[in-house]
Amino acid sequence: MEFLRPATWDEALAAKAEHPTALPISGGTDVMVEMNFDVHRPSAILDLNRITELAEWSGDGETVRLGAAVPYARIIEELSGPLPGLALAAHTVGSPQIRNRGSVGGNLGAASPAGDSHPALLAAGRDVFVEAESVRGSRLIPIDEFYLGVKRNGLEPDELIRAVRIPVADGPQQFSKIGTRNAMVIAVCAFGFALHPKDGTVGTGIGSAAPTPRRAVEAEEYLRGVLAERGLWESGELLGPEVVRRFGELVKAAASPIDDVRGTAAYRRHALAVMARRTLTWCWNDYRKQIRSAA
Amino acid sequence: MTSRTIQGQKNLQKINQASKDGIGGSPLRPDGALKVRGEFAYSSDMWHEDMLWGTALRSPHPRANILGVDVSEALKVPGVYAVLTHEDIPGEKYYGLEIADQPALAIDKVRYHGEAIALVAADHPETARRAVKKIKVEYEVLTPITTEEQCLDPETHGYVHEPHEYKSHAYGNVCHEQKLVSGLGVTDEVRALADVIVSGEYEVGMQDQAFLGPESGLAVPAEDGGVDLYIATQWLHVDRQQMAPVLDLPLEKVRLTLAGVGGAFGGREDLSMQIHACLLALHTGKPVKIVYARDESFFGHVHRHPARMRYEHGATRDGKLVFADCRIVLDGGAYASASPAVVGNAASLGHGPYVIPNVRMHAIALYSNNPSCGAMRGFGAVQAAFGYESQMDRLAEALGMDPVELRQLNAVTQGDFMPTGQEIDAPAPVAELLQRVKDMPLPPPLDLEHPDVRTLPGALSNTSHGEGIVRGVGYSVGIKNVGFSEGFDDYSTARVRLEVIGGEPVAMVHTAMAEVGQGGVTVHAQIARTELGVEQVTIHPANTEVGSAGSTSASRQTYMTGGAVKLAAEAVRHELLERGRHRYGWTQTDLSLVGGKVVSASAGVLISMVDLLGDDAVEQTREHHHRPTVPFDKETGQGFGHVQYTFCANRAVVDVDVELGLVKVVELTAVQDVGKALNPLSVVGQIQGGCTQALGLAVMEEIVVKDGKVRNASFTDYLIPTILDTPPIPVQILELPDPNAPYGLRGVGEAPTVSATPSIVAAIRQATGKALTRIPVRPEHLTDTL
Ligand SMILES: Cc1cc2nc3c(=O)[nH]c(=O)nc-3n(C[C@H](O)[C@H](O)[C@H](O)COP(=O)(O)OP(=O)(O)OC[C@H]3O[C@@H](n4cnc5c(N)ncnc54)[C@H](O)[C@@H]3O)c2cc1C
């Protein structure tokens, strides 16, 4: 097995072009486990750890450009303000050791339906893009087009993830995850939710309840409609139990979970509805507080 | 040499002060700092020049005939030194802890998912793994026999061990059976005596020991044709006894030394890679190391027996138990392992620490094509406790009684008789344990107005900000036997040597006791300090150069090997004092060894041990046997079967998110009678550890087996409690001495594992109102989404 250690991003792209089957390694918290379990026997490993810019993020007030290798621990510490949903998701990942190493780039590279970043990224809006690059050039893959199947993503064999572009939150965001223990657990299912008062939309993301992370499109549409029709964005009135319940039902309907060792499909659907209702309620309460204190 | 006598009360007082690191003190573990710093050498860390790496090919099928094994491609892999099948075994092909029914390598058929078929030794572990993949096995896959119904109908579903191969002592697919009847048994007339009858069916999932140090060892071929094995195990001598016939070697040519053990909990009572490493080492003439990967570890050791239990209890209107009727079916899996002992415990302890005038019990262990099950902390008693304690709560509810009071009303005490007819002839403060646990202060109530999300069910997973949270409280008590039962003489041996080293008297304790984390090495040193009045004690590495120390299991090591160390140290003291009497003509009868000196209570210090010993060491070896027991009668279950009983009571406080079915154990309190706490810190550690393992069984730990196949052989999906799942565990210890035991002590390690699980389930029931008849309790059970 070859071990490639490019010192710069350009060298990394060149190496990936030359060895398209080389397996990139960032934090290694997925790669090493899978190698240990004999899932992969890659011809080469492409170590990205020397490329310092991958572990940096920048922001212009509207968008955060999150380097692929920024570890979860730093997302929690440095980005809870602009990316509250992702930071909450980061909190739930593994243990302190894993949060010190694991990254969103790695989560996207692995594209597991149980990855915790995904629901938060989906909920963060339609303008989330994975910045993929190769020697052929750079392109922005919309997050909705990134997840192709169980552990399959939209990268070309010669491409690497440079960063993820995520709009700065313009409203409250929440993330909830079910695990059968209180820490260090792969999601049985997870849900991300965000209010986007600027354009009057809402964002959702479902984790571990379908072959890929996915959005609850009908639930988003329903809620967007209700908020607009009833002038709730402006009034900040209570949503009422019927709206919350209906939203939960639509989220539940958007999932297509399976029975596995981590949980039953029926439980996943049930839990998604509960999480959807709760996260919506928390966000809406926060939003109401915000507009009332602004008034 | 002079003998000085120091007079004066003050000096004497100072000298008479026993070492603070003697028994009753809490010196720290000698290996503690090393372990915390990651410097402790575990069995998987061993290395030998020129060593090869061994690995096994394991069956992907739970039941299949093997039509052919072709190793030729594997042998061609460069770096491969040997590929062995059962045909290469020089001696006996079968071994077993109690019944030799397990082939060292599969012969013509496999009986469980993960059974070893062939072995490879290579110069690199990766080479060995690759070579294993080149072994071609032709299987005729058969439908596995996995359910109770299938097992009990072999005519239709077949035999796990065909009648002509069957080596156990029951019948069909039953590996072991124990019945018990006491009083009038359970008849219609007896039932008629009860005002209230409750019944229930309960199920226990398959728990794993989940030790962190995978099975591993290093076998080094010796010049005399024998083999030296460095191994993480629970009982060196019984390993050797099973290995030698397979290796076709006399016992003395199979020498075992204990390597660093990373946890055991019963999972190392059976052999894992011992025979395999030695076969490869003897075949290649090179040292061979085997370290299981985590998934292999899940296949490579036995688990806790899953159980299906049916209980019926009758009581009078005022809560007095009238009868109990019980059937316990344990799934033993493919091979016998410790199943007979597990059945014996379940049958004899399965009614709990209660006085019940009329009892009927039927306990069996099945052979099936599920993973083999055997020893795990509290075996037999753990499963049953979930049944009888659930029943106590049901009965209390039916009677409208307080569940603690109901238990106290029926609790056994010293002088009572177990359903086996055995008198409880040592303190049995069951009612007091319950009272104490009930009287301990409760944690602060739930604050749903300003909850700290981190403390709620789900914690940082952020599932609730107070919604759906309900608190529940539950109680339970349990009983466990200490030591090996049913006529087994599981004696322990200890050798103690006293000599002057560097101008100081130093004791050396040599036993074959497996230190698996229980703290035996700490306690042995404490015993030697107390008995010999020395500070310096060396613990000799455990090996087979000294007699057997029995197993590190059944809560027995401090009792048994600790007892042997005490006997050997007493013998050393006796010899030393005799030497002094002989040499100096002491006539006092009040001599003791304290602070490195020979002290007479009346005359003061007679001589220092350094002077008395001079250049001569004193060494004594002693065996410690517990009082004899007898097997239970097969039909009536009667007999003086157990050495000692031990009891623990628990209170669990839980918060449940009743909408999501998530549980957070808020506090788990334990009160236990330990007879005498030789090392209070270790005792509390054992109780807290036992409670934590019980918590795991209550709410998360289960090996999921479907159609004989293990679905979660990894720590990704076999969940054990993290520190965030482990609540504060306040512990109160009682010290009511058992006159039959050394120092009056009682085995500690298992009782909390037996008793704590039901208290947690009871608390969840109180919070949710659900019946909860299966453990581990899953979110699905609490949300009706199975
Ligand atoms: C104990 C433990 C607990 C865990 N708990 C969680 C959890 O709670 N939630 C969760 O979501 N995950 C969890 N994980 C999985 C893992 O930590 C996450 O998926 C993490 O985000 C992976 O990041 P990494 O940097 O370590 O990725 P790596 O392991 O380095 O890589 C993961 C994948 O991404 C690819 N990759 C990495 N960087 C790039 C890049 N720049 N361009 C293209 N491809 C790339 C790799 O080739 C590989 O396929 C856990 C893992 C462990 C070991």
Side-chain angles (χ1 to χ4, degrees), chain A residues 9 23-33 40 48 54 68-69 72 92-95 98 101-110 114-117 155 159-162 177 184-187:
Chain A
W9 180 239
L23 185 69
I25 184 167
S26 182
T29 59
D30 273 318
V31 168
M32 294 313 294
V33 172
H40 296 299
L48 302 176
L54 288 182
Y72 293 112
T92 75
V93 174
S95 58
I98 299 300
R101 293 287 305 166
S103 62
V104 172
N107 219 222
L108 289 165
D116 287 323
S117 311
L155 292 180
E159 280 181 326
L160 290 171
I161 302 170
R162 169 66 186 83
K177 159 176 163 181
M184 261 275 274
V185 67
I186 305 290

Side-chain angles (χ1 to χ4, degrees), chain B residues 416-550:
Chain B
D416 282 332
F417 288 83
M418 293 292 287
T420 56
Q422 182 169 5
E423 184 184 350
I424 303 175
D425 56 0
V430 174
E432 183 181 353
L433 296 176
L434 284 160
Q435 193 58 45
R436 283 173 178 269
V437 84
K438 193 176 179 182
D439 290 344
M440 301 258 285
L442 279 162
L446 248 180
D447 177 7
L448 286 181
E449 290 298 300
H450 309 96
D452 178 346
V453 170
R454 291 169 304 177
T455 66
L456 297 178
L460 286 175
S461 293
N462 193 37
T463 44
S464 168
H465 293 174
E467 299 92 334
I469 311 290
V470 182
R471 176 156 293 186
V473 180
Y475 292 89
S476 62
V477 65
I479 180 169
K480 178 72 187 39
N481 58 320
V482 172
F484 283 26
S485 301
E486 302 184 59
F488 201 96
D489 180 18
D490 57 322
Y491 69 94
S492 280
T493 317
R495 181 177 297 157
V496 173
R497 181 183 172 91
L498 185 64
E499 64 192 317
V500 177
I501 298 175
E504 254 193 285
V506 177
M508 155 103 79
V509 178
H510 185 181
T511 74
M513 175 201 67
E515 172 60 48
V516 306
Q518 82 277 21
V521 289
T522 323
V523 157
H524 289 178
Q526 292 178 260
I527 292 171
R529 282 190 198 103
T530 293
E531 298 303 332
L532 297 173
V534 298
E535 278 303 319
Q536 299 302 323
V537 184
T538 312
I539 303 294
H540 190 285
N543 58 26
T544 47
E545 282 167 22
V546 65
S548 174

Side-chain angles (χ1 to χ4, degrees), chain A residues 60-294:
Chain A
D60 57 9
E62 297 220 332
T63 303
V64 172
R65 183 170 181 245
L66 180 70
V70 176
Y72 293 112
R74 282 183 49 211
I75 296 175
I76 297 167
E77 223 164 85
E78 299 166 21
L79 292 167
S80 289
L83 307 177
L86 188 64
L88 280 170
H91 255 298
T92 75
V93 174
S95 58
Q97 296 90 327
I98 299 300
R99 293 193 289 272
N100 281 336
R101 293 287 305 166
S103 62
V104 172
N107 219 222
L108 289 165
S112 156
D116 287 323
S117 311
H118 313 317
L121 292 177
L122 286 166
R126 301 265 168 189
D127 291 332
V128 174
F129 297 98
V130 177
E131 203 180 313
E133 204 171 331
S134 71
V135 286
R136 296 176 289 116
S138 178
R139 64 180 177 127
L140 294 179
I141 309 175
I143 195 70
D144 288 274
E145 291 164 26
F146 186 77
Y147 308 111
L148 300 184
V150 176
K151 302 200 173 184
R152 282 196 304 118
N153 60 33
L155 292 180
E156 295 296 333
D158 63 346
E159 280 181 326
L160 290 171
I161 302 170
R162 169 66 186 83
V164 192
R165 298 194 182 182
I166 312 157
V168 169
D170 61 325
Q173 302 188 347
Q174 282 289 348
F175 176 86
S176 264
K177 159 176 163 181
I178 302 284
T180 23
R181 69 180 168 196
N182 290 302
M184 261 275 274
V185 67
I186 305 290
V188 172
C189 56
F191 185 69
F193 180 74
L195 289 172
H196 300 298
K198 259 195 202 155
D199 62 2
T201 62
V202 303
T204 60
I206 293 174
S208 275
T212 64
R214 64 163 68 147
R215 211 177 268 289
V217 178
E218 281 184 41
E220 288 181 359
E221 284 309 305
Y222 165 73
L223 192 60
R224 190 187 57 78
V226 168
L227 295 176
E229 284 156 24
R230 304 191 191 168
L232 293 169
W233 288 115
E234 297 74 27
S235 72
E237 293 288 316
L238 285 171
L239 296 175
E242 182 46 34
V243 172
V244 175
R245 195 196 59 78
R246 178 92 185 116
F247 178 71
E249 287 307 306
L250 288 170
V251 168
K252 175 177 172 172
S256 39
I258 53 165
D259 287 334
D260 65 17
V261 287
R262 292 177 193 153
T264 63
Y267 175 74
R268 289 182 159 107
R269 282 201 193 87
H270 166 81
L272 279 169
V274 176
M275 289 191 291
R277 294 198 299 263
R278 289 185 183 175
T279 51
L280 166 58
T281 306
W282 302 335
C283 284
W284 191 250
N285 285 346
D286 283 349
Y287 176 74
R288 296 176 66 217
K289 263 184 236 152
Q290 278 169 22
I291 63 164
R292 259 187 271 147
S293 64

Side-chain angles (χ1 to χ4, degrees), chain B residues 287-456:
Chain B
V288 173
K289 175 172 170 173
I290 293 183
V291 180
Y292 284 1
R294 181 58 60 194
D295 54 343
E296 193 172 14
S297 173
F298 275 101
F299 294 113
H301 62 253
V302 300
H303 317 289
R304 187 188 295 295
H305 287 69
R308 280 171 74 179
M309 306 180 286
R310 202 176 61 221
Y311 273 92
E312 186 179 60
H313 280 82
T316 61
R317 204 163 287 114
D318 49 9
K320 272 281 185 192
L321 287 169
V322 173
F323 75 87
D325 194 9
C326 172
R327 177 183 158 84
I328 298 178
V329 180
L330 300 149
D331 183 356
Y335 297 107
S337 178
S339 279
V342 178
V343 169
N345 282 0
S348 59
L349 305 168
H351 294 91
Y354 302 112
V355 178
I356 313 177
N358 306 294
V359 166
R360 182 170 66 180
M361 159 70 77
H362 184 194
I364 57 172
L366 301 171
Y367 274 131
S368 72
N369 293 118
N370 290 319
S372 289
C373 289
M376 183 174 172
R377 201 173 193 170
F379 66 54
V382 163
Q383 292 91 337
F386 175 59
Y388 62 72
E389 287 300 88
S390 298
Q391 284 286 103
M392 286 303 122
D393 288 338
R394 264 191 198 185
L395 189 58
E397 199 184 326
L399 289 162
M401 271 181 86
D402 175 87
V404 172
E405 278 168 27
L406 174 71
R407 286 173 168 86
Q408 288 177 311
L409 183 66
N410 292 288
V412 292
T413 185
Q414 186 165 4
D416 282 332
F417 288 83
M418 293 292 287
T420 56
Q422 182 169 5
E423 184 184 350
I424 303 175
D425 56 0
V430 174
E432 183 181 353
L433 296 176
L434 284 160
Q435 193 58 45
R436 283 173 178 269
V437 84
K438 193 176 179 182
D439 290 344
M440 301 258 285
L442 279 162
L446 248 180
D447 177 7
L448 286 181
E449 290 298 300
H450 309 96
D452 178 346
V453 170
R454 291 169 304 177
T455 66
L456 297 178

Side-chain angles (χ1 to χ4, degrees), chain B residues 8-77:
Chain B
Q9 277 316 110
K10 215 172 173 189
N11 283 339
L12 203 56
Q13 236 171 32
K14 197 168 158 200
I15 289 160
N16 273 336
Q17 230 165 45
S19 162
K20 72 169 177 40
D21 289 342
I23 65 163
S26 289
L28 299 179
R29 302 179 57 91
D31 53 2
L34 288 175
K35 284 179 172 169
V36 170
R37 283 201 297 259
E39 291 165 4
F40 182 81
Y42 288 98
S43 54
S44 52
D45 297 324
M46 291 184 294
W47 188 86
H48 198 292
E49 203 150 334
D50 271 351
M51 75 180 187
L52 302 178
W53 295 78
T55 192
L57 170 72
R58 292 181 181 273
S59 168
H61 308 294
R63 184 176 180 221
N65 289 323
I66 297 175
L67 305 179
V69 181
D70 178 0
V71 302
S72 53
E73 289 303 309
L75 275 168
K76 285 186 200 150
V77 176

